[in-house]
Amino acid sequence: MITACVVALSPVAPILAQDTNDAVRLKIQWYPTMSEDALVHTRIFLAFHNGQFDSYDFDKPLSDFVSHWMASSFSEEMIPAFLDTYPNTQADWIWNPPMTNVGYPGGLPPPWRTTVTVDPTKHRFLSYLSRLHPSNDAFIGNEDPFEIELFDHNGKFMGPLFVDVYGNRVVDAGLCVNDEQNLSGIDHSGRILSCPESEGVARLHPGFNGSHRNPDGLPQRILGGETLYHPPSSDLHLAYDPINADFSRPGYRIGRLRVTRWAATGNWSGSWYSPERAGEGFNVELVEPAPGEARTRILVYWYTFKPDGSGEQVWLAGMGELDADDGVAADVEMYLTTGGEFTSTSNPDLVDRERWGTIRIGFGDCASGRVFYQPDDPDWPSGDYYINRLSPQIEGLGWVCQRTPDARLILPED
């Protein structure tokens, strides 16, 4: 397979040189790792900032903003309130309704996701918050506002990133006494707090009564118990397994946040070929959206031969946009360049650029794809075939292509 390319001959090189766009579109995904008889949380609040949003500190009262929304139940009004309270920030939700626990049978399988456009100069850091049920005021979130760095001081994206969220970091907001006397409503995400007030400072959650961290706590009504908010005949009726719902157990993982560019270049960028067609192949690069546009672009080089049996090499190149709605395929107009000279300083003026036809290229995963080709010239046949990745994935980014909750970052020393 030929893998070299001469940028001067590329019909898309001038386009790339003109693009400048400071905004970055990110995809944030949540992979739940708890079973259905464990904890419930229906939404994750995401805040993008430069360090001005410090949601809580242990052994201190919550910030006024978090305390208000913790007591009032997180809702859609939280985002405009956040943007008003913290100017020059950005915010969004990940909605992640459990498919059985809160009545969403047939809903979308995980991961749950959102996409958000941020400014690296204003939104270097990410903070997240999510209330946990069954509890009046338990939540997860990063204490340090600078912990999750999305961009360095030069605006370079630090990802792809993942954040594993473990039960040993569940926070007790300190707004309610954890007495488990009344279970009615504490697993209901829309409920406004009405409970005996606690001391009002954030601490590590002591764990439910009877848990690994709090084995002697009484009365034990959550672990091994059932909700009182919905009758047993209701699809929303919950039962909490004494093991699976005990977030204080060592190694208990609630879920994983994954942050990538909307179309991560580590996914499909590289060299591709078909073992049955060795000697020809493709180079693929994912490129940032054009200024003012939302869809990631794909740059494709196809190294092949003329169909007349002459064995003459042909280089085709083109650029298109990935399909909308988080697409994994694209229609690309391909162009044939001729007339240039080897190492000539007169290139690209000598180069003629002629449309060859179109291809549709798509990827089933990070290791396999398929190409459909339709030339304009009837002397060229149309058709399709499968392609496999030839070049290795970028070192350290193999986990980006894994779709399971157990995906992890593979470091060189592993």
Side-chain angles (χ1 to χ4, degrees):
M1 174 181 177
I2 304 171
T3 56
C5 67
V6 180
V7 175
L9 297 182
S10 169
V12 293
I15 300 175
L16 292 176
Q18 296 171 3
D19 286 347
T20 57
N21 188 6
D22 293 332
V24 176
R25 191 177 182 192
L26 300 178
K27 178 166 66 175
I28 301 92
Q29 298 169 283
W30 173 257
Y31 292 85
T33 55
M34 300 183 297
S35 61
E36 294 178 355
D37 52 3
L39 308 181
V40 176
H41 62 128
T42 58
R43 65 196 79 175
I44 301 172
F45 176 72
L46 305 170
F48 304 86
H49 56 89
N50 268 357
Q52 62 266 55
F53 177 55
D54 187 4
S55 55
Y56 72 96
D57 293 293
F58 284 119
D59 299 321
K60 294 182 179 180
L62 297 179
S63 68
D64 291 342
F65 178 85
V66 176
S67 179
H68 170 78
W69 288 101
M70 186 71 63
S72 302
S73 183
F74 289 5
S75 66
E76 293 184 11
E77 290 76 19
M78 186 176 177
I79 288 183
F82 176 82
L83 299 178
D84 184 60
T85 306
Y86 299 94
N88 297 317
T89 60
Q90 179 62 286
D92 206 345
W93 291 108
I94 293 179
W95 298 91
N96 61 318
M99 288 188 290
T100 56
N101 269 359
V102 288
Y104 289 87
L108 292 175
W112 296 288
R113 72 190 74 186
T114 189
T115 58
V116 59
T117 300
V118 298
D119 183 341
T121 65
K122 299 178 181 178
H123 311 134
R124 284 188 59 190
F125 304 99
L126 168 65
S127 294
Y128 68 94
L129 291 169
S130 181
R131 286 183 61 178
L132 295 179
H133 306 277
S135 174
N136 285 313
D137 61 350
F139 71 95
I140 53 176
N142 50 310
E143 179 191 19
D144 183 356
F146 304 103
E147 177 184 354
I148 307 175
E149 186 178 9
L150 301 175
F151 304 95
D152 67 12
H153 64 281
N154 292 319
K156 179 183 177 181
F157 181 53
M158 302 292 287
L161 305 170
F162 71 80
V163 180
D164 277 328
V165 181
Y166 287 93
N168 64 353
R169 303 300 291 177
V170 172
V171 184
D172 179 359
L175 303 178
C176 293
V177 175
N178 300 311
D179 56 14
E180 298 188 21
Q181 291 294 329
N182 183 8
L183 301 190
S184 180
I186 66 175
D187 47 19
H188 180 56
S189 61
R191 178 177 177 269
I192 296 175
L193 292 184
S194 177
C195 57
E197 292 186 4
S198 186
E199 56 187 348
V201 299
R203 303 186 189 279
L204 284 175
H205 199 287
F208 298 137
N209 291 341
S211 68
H212 174 83
R213 188 184 293 166
N214 184 20
D216 299 324
L218 295 172
Q220 183 178 332
R221 302 186 64 202
I222 293 177
L223 297 181
E226 298 179 331
T227 178
L228 300 182
Y229 192 80
H230 298 285
S233 60
S234 170
D235 291 337
L236 306 183
H237 181 83
L238 305 182
Y240 302 103
D241 184 87
I243 301 298
N244 293 338
D246 181 7
F247 61 81
S248 72
R249 290 187 297 116
Y252 188 101
R253 189 168 67 169
I254 294 173
R256 163 173 289 178
L257 274 175
R258 188 171 95 170
V259 184
T260 62
R261 287 181 180 267
W262 180 74
T265 57
N267 285 20
W268 307 314
S269 293
S271 298
W272 297 76
Y273 84 117
S274 167
E276 298 177 353
R277 297 174 179 240
E280 68 170 5
F282 299 83
N283 279 138
V284 174
E285 297 180 33
L286 268 62
V287 182
E288 287 293 305
E293 301 296 330
R295 290 158 63 179
T296 297
R297 293 174 293 171
I298 183 171
L299 172 62
V300 181
Y301 294 95
W302 185 4
Y303 309 114
T304 185
F305 303 90
K306 283 189 173 182
D308 58 9
S310 64
E312 183 177 346
Q313 291 180 334
V314 174
W315 285 16
L316 304 172
M319 175 176 280
E321 290 185 336
L322 291 178
D323 292 346
D325 302 324
D326 205 12
V328 294
D331 294 302
V332 183
E333 288 189 354
M334 302 297 289
Y335 289 84
L336 175 65
T337 52
T338 58
E341 295 179 359
F342 179 69
T343 68
S344 172
T345 58
S346 298
N347 293 335
D349 294 337
L350 297 177
V351 175
D352 293 322
R353 179 173 177 266
E354 178 183 0
R355 176 185 150 113
W356 172 87
T358 61
I359 67 170
R360 180 162 180 81
I361 185 168
F363 303 91
D365 52 40
C366 294
S368 61
R370 191 174 184 180
V371 176
F372 298 81
Y373 49 95
Q374 181 62 58
D376 293 340
D377 188 338
D379 291 335
W380 290 69
S382 60
D384 67 276
Y385 64 94
Y386 290 93
I387 54 176
N388 298 328
R389 178 185 285 276
L390 176 65
S391 58
Q393 295 164 5
I394 300 173
E395 185 175 274
L397 297 187
W399 69 273
V400 174
C401 295
Q402 300 181 47
R403 297 172 182 260
T404 68
D406 293 326
R408 68 186 185 93
L409 177 60
I410 307 298
L411 296 175
E413 56 266 27
D414 289 340

